[in-house]
Amino acid sequence: MSLPTPTLHTARLRLRPFDDADANNLFALHSSAYVLRYWDAPPWSDRVRAERFITACRQMVEEGTGARLAVDRVSSGRSSAGAA
């Protein structure tokens, strides 16, 4: 059973489903050892990991097992591509 994936808005943020355009930002975030210094996995070394992550997010929604959301700052329109 597919889950409806919400897009949530506040005055400063928008939470939305990941899309293919997020792959570069997502890779930049997850390939940084500094950003992931307290994370439970090593930094990504290949952009394909970002593409697989986005595919896995879509699969979770289709299977009804969960949802991961990207975060956009409303003021800039730029995606931080962080998982919520």
Side-chain angles (χ1 to χ4, degrees):
M1 174 171 113
S2 179
L3 288 175
T5 304
T7 297
L8 306 171
H9 298 268
T10 70
R12 296 182 306 141
L13 300 174
R14 178 175 64 131
L15 302 177
R16 59 165 178 78
F18 282 98
D19 62 39
D20 293 335
D22 294 317
N24 286 333
N25 287 338
L26 191 61
F27 177 67
L29 182 70
H30 283 269
S31 64
S32 168
Y34 178 76
V35 170
L36 296 180
R37 67 191 180 277
Y38 303 116
W39 202 251
D40 63 349
W44 295 350
S45 58
D46 190 342
R47 186 182 177 282
V48 172
R49 291 286 309 265
E51 295 166 4
R52 287 195 310 245
F53 177 85
I54 293 168
T55 299
C57 291
R58 289 183 179 133
Q59 185 176 359
M60 285 179 12
V61 169
E62 290 171 13
E63 294 171 350
T65 59
R68 298 237 170 130
L69 302 172
V71 179
D72 290 331
R73 281 184 284 185
V74 172
S75 61
S76 69
R78 275 187 32 208
S79 172
S80 64

